[in-house]
Amino acid sequence: MKLPEGLAGVIVDQTRISSTKNEILTYAGYPITELKDVPYEEIVFLLWNLRLPTESELVSFRRELVSQMKLPAETVRLMERIAREPQHPMSILRTTVSLLGTTNDNEHDEPPRILAKMLTAVAAIIRIRNDQPIKRSKPDFGVVENFIYLFSGKRPTAEQVKMLNTVMVLHADHEFNASAFTARVVASTQSDYYSCLTTAVCSLKGPLHGGANEQVFKMLETIKQTGQDPLEYVERQLESGQKIMGFGHRVYKHGDPRAAILREIARKISYETGNEAYFEMEEQIRDFMFEKTHLHPNVDYYTAVIYHCFNLDRDTFTTMFAACRTAGWLAHIMEQREEGCLIRPSSEYIGETNRHYHADKEAHLNE
């Protein structure tokens, strides 16, 4: 029996964290459309506890996360060296996560502290690569406000916080995606949190998973810088068999619900920052792609323009995805560890059989 390509549609385990059943994304049973404006900290609490926090719990949880948005001094010293190397930022993040697993009493690190460190590490990588000093979090800022401040160096407006909060909520989790499942496999061995997160980062780096947002903006930049007609460019790519990144989804055949929300954010922020040409180009390509292929934009398509409007370099887009998705990764790691069962699937062998070493060696010698 031939299995579906990429195990598409194959149920490998159960989860209470999130679902994409019937092409509707829900977090612990709540539709994402009802959660898009909920504070990020509340979404993290929901994913980790499978219930909404009380007001006092939310205040306490937010305070705990913000208080931990700092990195060990020894980690910073090493980061300042490796982050300047001509490597992809996701490679630097991969090494940084591994470093965090070897410093500062990491055996006692729990998810709130780990998430806070991850957000701070991503911001620090962005700052170091821009030859800017690393900032320290502000105790009176929320998590998202602090995150923007840490990577930009400026206090964001309330509107900027609201927009990035929604982006982070929409990226927080997505059922058994490649990186979450990778983290769960490692977690099933009872390995530590940082080992699990390192493998998740490695998985997210690939262009078919988290790296797609970078490829979307690379396309837009190429079209703009070369003065090409967007539709002619896309048509040539399709005719040559190239994949147009940011379109189609294995789960959402009738449109990614996250993309619909992100589209409005991309529209708003692009016009507010003088980047409307990129958004208008996306709209042209969106209509053309649906006409030609019946594919809809996915979560990566509009996120690319949004990140650009936050003055982020294209090669850091996937690290932003990692920052947002860490909450979900940690939720899956915790759930898998509680399950206490090693993930060890079987495979169907389809190679050669009835081969014998000595007979084959003798045959080769006689040739």
Side-chain angles (χ1 to χ4, degrees):
M1 180 184 72
K2 183 173 174 57
L3 291 171
E5 186 175 358
L7 300 182
V10 176
I11 297 174
V12 297
D13 206 343
Q14 297 177 321
T15 182
R16 293 183 174 86
I17 300 167
S18 64
S19 169
T20 58
K21 187 176 181 180
N22 298 324
E23 300 189 30
I24 299 172
L25 176 59
T26 59
Y27 290 169
Y30 294 95
I32 196 66
T33 51
E34 296 180 15
L35 302 175
K36 61 185 178 68
D37 296 319
V38 172
Y40 180 68
E41 302 93 322
E42 191 167 357
I43 296 301
V44 176
F45 188 98
L46 172 65
L47 294 174
W48 291 359
N49 298 279
L50 306 179
R51 65 174 178 84
L52 296 174
T54 65
E55 199 59 40
S56 62
E57 284 177 325
L58 180 58
V59 170
S60 177
F61 188 57
R62 179 181 291 120
R63 186 183 302 117
E64 181 182 15
L65 289 172
V66 170
S67 71
Q68 299 295 339
M69 293 183 80
K70 52 191 175 185
L71 298 171
E74 57 268 41
T75 302
V76 173
R77 283 195 295 272
L78 290 166
M79 284 182 67
E80 287 178 336
R81 291 179 58 187
I82 65 172
R84 298 181 191 280
E85 295 294 323
Q87 300 290 331
H88 192 283
M90 282 297 284
S91 295
I92 295 164
L93 180 61
R94 174 198 62 212
T95 303
T96 298
V97 176
S98 188
L99 282 173
L100 288 171
T102 62
T103 56
N104 204 40
D105 197 24
N106 66 80
E107 289 186 4
H108 297 97
D109 276 1
E110 291 298 323
R113 187 178 182 186
I114 296 171
L115 173 60
K117 283 183 179 180
M118 284 287 285
L119 294 172
T120 309
V122 168
I125 289 170
I126 292 169
R127 298 286 293 177
I128 294 169
R129 289 175 64 82
N130 289 333
D131 290 321
Q132 297 169 323
I134 295 175
K135 293 291 185 179
R136 300 185 62 164
S137 61
K138 302 283 189 180
D140 54 326
F141 288 8
V143 172
V144 177
E145 187 176 13
N146 255 309
F147 184 46
I148 299 174
Y149 172 71
L150 289 175
F151 72 68
S152 71
K154 301 175 182 178
R155 181 169 189 173
T157 65
E159 185 64 24
Q160 288 174 321
V161 174
K162 181 180 179 182
M163 287 190 286
L164 193 65
N165 184 91
T166 298
V167 172
M168 294 181 73
V169 167
L170 295 177
H171 284 78
D173 194 53
H174 201 244
E175 199 216 53
F176 273 30
N177 56 82
S179 54
F181 185 66
T182 302
R184 291 188 74 118
V185 171
V186 180
S188 77
T189 71
Q190 296 296 304
S191 191
D192 64 279
Y193 281 108
Y194 288 109
S195 294
C196 299
L197 288 178
T198 301
T199 60
V201 169
C202 292
S203 179
L204 190 72
K205 182 185 176 185
L208 295 184
H209 189 12
N213 51 22
E214 295 179 34
Q215 298 305 313
V216 170
F217 199 72
K218 182 179 181 181
M219 172 184 70
L220 300 177
E221 281 184 315
T222 299
I223 293 171
K224 185 178 181 181
Q225 291 171 3
T226 58
Q228 298 182 63
D229 179 272
L231 305 189
E232 291 178 0
Y233 175 88
V234 172
E235 187 159 36
R236 283 196 300 273
Q237 294 295 104
L238 291 174
E239 288 175 351
S240 64
Q242 298 297 310
K243 181 179 178 65
I244 304 300
M245 303 303 284
F247 285 90
H249 197 282
R250 182 173 289 184
V251 174
Y252 304 119
K253 304 304 181 185
H254 301 91
D256 188 333
R258 301 166 298 177
I261 299 169
L262 291 168
R263 182 186 180 198
E264 294 309 310
I265 296 176
R267 183 199 305 276
K268 183 176 179 61
I269 195 171
S270 65
Y271 277 86
E272 289 178 351
T273 58
N275 287 291
E276 61 271 18
Y278 283 121
F279 178 76
E280 290 168 2
M281 194 189 308
E282 282 200 312
E283 290 294 88
Q284 284 183 278
I285 295 171
R286 169 183 175 267
D287 294 340
F288 182 78
M289 281 293 291
F290 184 74
E291 179 184 336
K292 288 287 185 178
T293 68
H294 296 291
L295 293 176
H296 298 270
N298 57 39
V299 69
D300 298 302
Y301 190 62
Y302 291 109
T303 307
V305 167
I306 294 170
Y307 287 157
H308 174 72
C309 292
F310 272 96
N311 294 316
L312 293 163
D313 292 335
R314 168 167 50 86
D315 62 359
T316 66
F317 288 3
T318 311
T319 64
M320 292 292 290
F321 194 157
C324 305
R325 184 55 61 85
T326 299
W329 288 338
L330 288 167
H332 283 282
I333 293 166
M334 287 186 277
E335 185 176 64
Q336 189 63 50
R337 284 159 67 106
E338 288 177 4
E339 194 168 303
C341 178
L342 177 67
I343 296 176
R344 201 293 188 189
S346 298
S347 62
E348 179 187 5
Y349 179 71
I350 59 172
E352 296 283 351
T353 58
N354 298 319
R355 306 172 87 178
H356 300 283
Y357 176 79
H358 293 292
D360 284 354
K361 287 291 287 186
E362 185 175 348
H364 287 314
L365 289 173
N366 293 329
E367 286 180 352

